[in-house]
Amino acid sequence: MTFFGLAAVNDLQPEKKAESTLSKFKDLLFSVFAFPFVVLLFWAIFAYDRELVYPATIDTFFPPWMNHAMHTFVLPILLGEVLVQPHVYPQTKHALTALGIVGLAYLSIIWVYMSVGIWVYPLLGRFSAAGLVGFFFFNMSVVILLYLLGNELSRRVW
C-alpha cells in the first residue's frame, strides 16, 4: 500500500519524475521491498500446511478475501507494474544494505515470542535455534535472488 500510494503521488508531481527524491524512493521501495517475496513464501508454506502461517481459526475474524487481498492480488499488480512503469534499481550494494536492515528488523518477531511466548507464525515454533537461523538465512537468500530477478526482468522489459 505504501508503494502504490507513493507511486500515485509521484505520478501527480509536475517535476521531472526520474530525478526526484520521491521517484528514487518509490523505485527503492519497489525494487527492494515490493517484489513478490511475501506472495511466494506465504503460499508455499500455506500449500504445505496452512496451520503454519494462517490457522483456520483466523478465518472467523480475518476473512479469506482479506487474506487474498494481502497475499495474492498484489502479485499480478506488481507484475503489471514491471510492464507499464520503468524503475531505476539502486546499486546492488545499496539494495542489499536495505534488504539487510529490513531482514534484521523482521527478526523482531523473535522479541514477540520472547515477550508473550507465542510465535507470530506457528511455523517458527517448529524450528530449533539452528533451524531458525537457517530459515532466516534461506529467506534472505530468496529475497536477494528475487531482487536480482526483478532487476533483470525490469532491464529486459525496459
Side-chain angles (χ1 to χ4, degrees):
M1 286 182 359
T2 302
F3 166 74
F4 287 114
L6 280 174
V9 170
N10 184 67
D11 288 345
L12 298 172
Q13 300 300 310
E15 61 191 75
K16 287 186 175 182
K17 290 183 177 79
E19 298 171 7
S20 74
T21 302
L22 180 62
S23 181
K24 289 177 184 176
F25 186 65
K26 174 191 65 94
D27 285 344
L28 175 72
L29 274 180
F30 179 80
S31 62
V32 175
F33 306 118
F35 210 66
F37 172 70
V38 171
V39 174
L40 297 176
L41 181 64
F42 177 85
W43 287 113
I45 296 170
F46 189 97
Y48 173 73
D49 183 355
R50 168 194 181 141
E51 296 297 314
L52 296 176
V53 289
Y54 191 81
T57 56
I58 292 176
D59 287 343
T60 58
F61 58 90
F62 199 81
W65 69 265
M66 193 176 287
N67 177 31
H68 283 289
M70 289 182 4
H71 296 111
T72 306
F73 299 142
V74 294
L75 182 60
I77 294 169
L78 289 171
L79 292 175
E81 176 76 14
V82 169
L83 297 174
V84 301
Q85 179 67 45
H87 291 278
V88 178
Y89 273 62
Q91 290 180 341
T92 302
K93 67 180 179 179
H94 294 143
L96 294 180
T97 300
L99 285 170
I101 291 168
V102 170
L104 288 173
Y106 202 74
L107 290 177
S108 66
I109 62 174
I110 293 172
W111 174 82
V112 171
Y113 172 74
M114 296 181 82
S115 298
V116 295
I118 298 171
W119 285 105
V120 175
Y121 303 109
L123 167 70
L124 300 177
R126 297 190 176 196
F127 291 116
S128 64
L132 280 173
V133 170
F135 182 72
F136 283 113
F137 274 111
F138 171 76
N139 285 337
M140 285 306 297
S141 299
V142 171
V143 167
I144 290 168
L145 288 173
L146 286 172
Y147 166 78
L148 296 171
L149 173 68
N151 189 12
E152 182 63 20
L153 182 61
S154 182
R155 188 186 68 73
R156 286 180 185 243
V157 169
W158 293 99

